[in-house]
Amino acid sequence: MVLQVQTSTYEAKTQEIAKQLLAATQENRSFFSSLRDQMRWDDKLLAWAMSNPGLRVQLFRFIDTLPALHSKSEIASHLQEYLGDESVELPAALKGMLNFANPDSMPGQVAATTVGTAVETLAHKYISGENIKQVIKTVERLRKEKMAFTIDLLGEAVITEAEAQSYLERYLQLMQQLVEASENWTAIPAIDEADGEPIPKVQVSVKLTAFYSQFDPLDAKGSEERVSDRIRILLRRAKELGAAVHFDMEQYAYKDITFSILKKLLLEEEFRQRTDVGMTIQAYLRDSEQDTKDLISWLKERGYPLTIRLVKGAYWDQETIKAAQKHWPQPVYNDKAATDANFETITQLLLENHQYVYSAIGSHNVRSHSRAIAIAESLNVPRRRFELQVLYGMGDKVAKALVDKGYRVRVYCPYGELLPGMAYLIRRLLENTANSSFLRQNLENRPIEELLAPPIVKEEKNSATPNVQTRLMSQRVAGVPPVVATGVPSLQTPHSHFSGAADTDYAEEETRRKSAQAFQSVRQQLGKTYLPLINGEYVNPPEFVDSLNPSNFSEVVGKVGLISVEQAEQAMQAAKAAFPGWKKTPAKQRADILRKAGDLMELRRAELSAWIVLEVGKPVKEADGEVSEAIDFCRYYADEIERLDKGVSYDIPGETNHYIYQPRGIAVVISPWNFPLAIACGMTVAALVSGNCTLLKPAETSSVIAAKLTEILVDAGFPKGVFQYVPGKGSQVGAYLVNHPDTHVIAFTGSQEVGCRIYAEAATLKPGQKHMKRVIAEMGGKNAIIVDESADLDQAVVGVVQSAFGYSGQKCSAASRVIVLQPIYDSFVERLAQATKSLNIGEAELPSTQVGPVIDANARDRIREYIEKGKAEAEVALELPAPEQGYFIGPVIFSEVSPNAVISQQEIFGPVLAVIRVKDFQEALAVANGTNYALTGGLYSRTPSHIQQAQTEFEVGNLYINRNITGAIVGRQPFGGFKLSGVGSKAGGPDYLLQFLEPRAVTENIQRQGFAPIEGAD
């Protein structure tokens, strides 16, 4: 079915206006073809990028890296690395320029200068100035051309509170300087007034999230308070100066909270009558029409108009990739025609409500502007209530044609240094060179009928259509995120049929409400008693222990019964008795029980998250991610056992050869407290679905969550004796089960000391034992992230902070070392300290918390000892205070740390980070590999040869490039290490279940008296 934008009375007028505008913008119809022949390198680069997708990807990646390169040699070598890639078909002129043997050579220096200058020229096309003096010059030129302006301050990502404060101060200063300059400007009636009403000469555009470094929809209340305080200061000053303020719209995750904050603030008595403020709607969002209707209703209630700027939207690739990675519905339209059609619908909606809203229609598409004009003229919309907008450097000819026709045009002018402006430049280049771009199609001399045709939209069956990936690759292949641009592509997990559970999207108000309700419900159950489960019965143990809330150790989460050695023996005998029946249970039946367990967890997601938060002090979002991981283990291993159960046939004529698997016997699972649901669940269900009877002995500090897992596994249908919940002391019950002659498999996650002891004990043959035990042990890491001089420092700082201080550094994958190259060491440490200082430390339950408590008093005291050792070995770059009422430790960063220092070598398992200085990349790798561990590692780099070298030489089980190093996803990043980080295959990977199975080969001679069935014979 095809939906077409309603052909109405506006269409004929739209076509008429559009043809006039197009004629005015197409004076030089041979522009595109002549680009190649011009001498200007910036034009040549753009033309080549349009005609060669492979070059486009690598060129834009090089441009993204350029600001981090500080010498001509660095520029030359990166130019060769990016554009010399096999996937790139180079134009002759570029090939000749890159044909130098050494980046330090004269040809190398010439190439660096040529391309560096070209990119700078390109940037200046889209960025209105690097300083206020240049900006004033630009806007004065625009005013001479009868164009109004709005200024946007380009800036580094706001990741520290100092930067958020600076953002506000820079805008206050910008408004002041522009208003002072405007006092000398001659009034231009076309843009300074309309319908007898004055229009502010100065307008600035701001981003809401930049006013608070920890802006997060989960913490809606806290974010609103912090942001609103700074916005009030801005709006008050704007009023004093007579300047207008417009609020840009950013990523989808921030949309609802942005509207909520602004609506609330602009209803306050002080601001209710202000009409010099604006908000933004992005037409590529599926819910933007409804948002527009809601805003119009709100404006009717408010009683005073505001500006609504309508744009298509600038983050299509990012939104699409994020939704695919998170398994969330696509928030954006997958088809550009759908966005264009929605843009026209919303344009009509805004203009039909002109008595309540000032419309600002932002586009470079002649049809979009013409449509707006046709509607405005048909409805006699007053000139004050309607203007057209373009981006600086993007729609110059369109803007001039619109001005000539007597319309008010405003140019969106970003200003700032090249370095912070690079992300903006890439977005503009993407827009200019995308196949679907109107500007590009116009340059390519497409027929006028095609350019101006109404958008035709194919109805989508659902919001995550299969063509998303195709479009990412073909139409917008230069998306900056590396996962898109490699040209290989899959946003699916390795088993393409497996799709993980979606994390909760806390940007939605309903999910935040559900989370709050779950905490209320769980709090009413605190202090209950949890009994061990042996042979299908909950039994009374000889001893109980209190599980405490580490955020507030006076609060008992639950009383947990610890079994005796005698009860452990009963459990073992029950498992032994249940094994023959469970072994014979078909794999499909076992898998279905597991899938049911996953479904039950999904139903109880918010509640399970709340238990994790309260029992082990993990912040809400991370607890929710852990529930997703547990669900994924259930579903992934269910799929896996069905795959393995088919076996493999190696038949030959006259003989069948079948390779099959059978369960090993009894599995003992010893799970940790730091992932009390996910790891306990993953190890347990892997053993169960493989046909083994399984005893789960959880860490004492997280036994309540293990009891909740037990409820789910029992409800899912695991028979008695097949699964048993046996909390107990590790030194007694744990040791007894490990040494038991009937134990076949031990799956352990915990410390290196205990893991090595288990490995040694399991190797000893016990009386009556008729098999060798299989040990799967994950034993932690001393994980390092390397940051080289080409890294995106914004990205690196954010990633390191998340990796080191997420869950207070208590993940086996957490970063405890950062190895930074000399040229950027000092600036990195300074920025890292500022970003860490901006984190909120507090009770894990609070939505604002990023750093919660450590698990217990023992952990707190041990970490404090390491901090004291660190002070003797290195310099303290940052030490944050911590609340007293729980087991809190504020993040600590040590700088100038020796690679051989205690804090560089030993696993601390807390919020303590060592920053090590190295002279070059080779030394960085040597330092990274210089511990006994090999679990996770990370690299922040935009140097292709460094990325390639790290992939082969960085000794870790999981290597993460240009992202944080925690949060492995089942079936996507199978998790586990080697050296002294562990033994066994990777959890959540295609060979994990093999450890719980015995392989067998069965051969049958099928000849009878010299004859055998032959396939294909009559």
Side-chain angles (χ1 to χ4, degrees), residues 641-663:
I641 198 63
E642 289 179 349
R643 176 179 69 86
L644 293 170
D645 186 54
K646 292 170 187 166
V648 184
S649 293
Y650 301 105
D651 297 347
I652 58 170
E655 182 177 280
T656 61
N657 292 284
H658 204 43
Y659 189 78
I660 56 173
Y661 298 98
Q662 67 180 30

Side-chain angles (χ1 to χ4, degrees), residues 483-521:
V483 68
V484 183
T486 56
V488 210
S490 191
L491 290 176
Q492 292 299 315
T493 44
H495 284 8
S496 57
H497 64 274
F498 179 76
S499 184
D503 291 347
T504 300
D505 182 1
Y506 290 106
E508 294 175 11
E509 194 175 349
E510 175 63 14
T511 62
R512 299 197 294 270
R513 191 184 58 73
K514 272 187 187 164
S515 175
Q517 280 177 344
F519 274 105
Q520 277 183 333
S521 165

Side-chain angles (χ1 to χ4, degrees), residues 150 161 242 292 297 304 336 344 400 402 824 852:
T150 185
E161 275 307 276
T292 307
S297 299
Y304 296 90
K336 188 174 181 301
E344 293 191 6
K400 187 179 183 310
L402 289 167
I824 55 163

Side-chain angles (χ1 to χ4, degrees), residues 534-557:
I534 295 176
N535 200 19
E537 303 291 331
Y538 286 104
V539 300
N540 282 313
E543 187 184 351
F544 288 88
V545 65
D546 287 347
S547 180
L548 306 178
N549 177 356
S551 292
N552 177 6
F553 44 67
S554 64
E555 189 168 63
V556 177
V557 176

Side-chain angles (χ1 to χ4, degrees), residues 735-752:
Y736 182 78
L737 294 173
V738 164
N739 285 286
H740 201 287
D742 290 324
T743 296
H744 291 77
V745 183
I746 301 149
F748 166 80
T749 300
S751 71
Q752 185 194 109

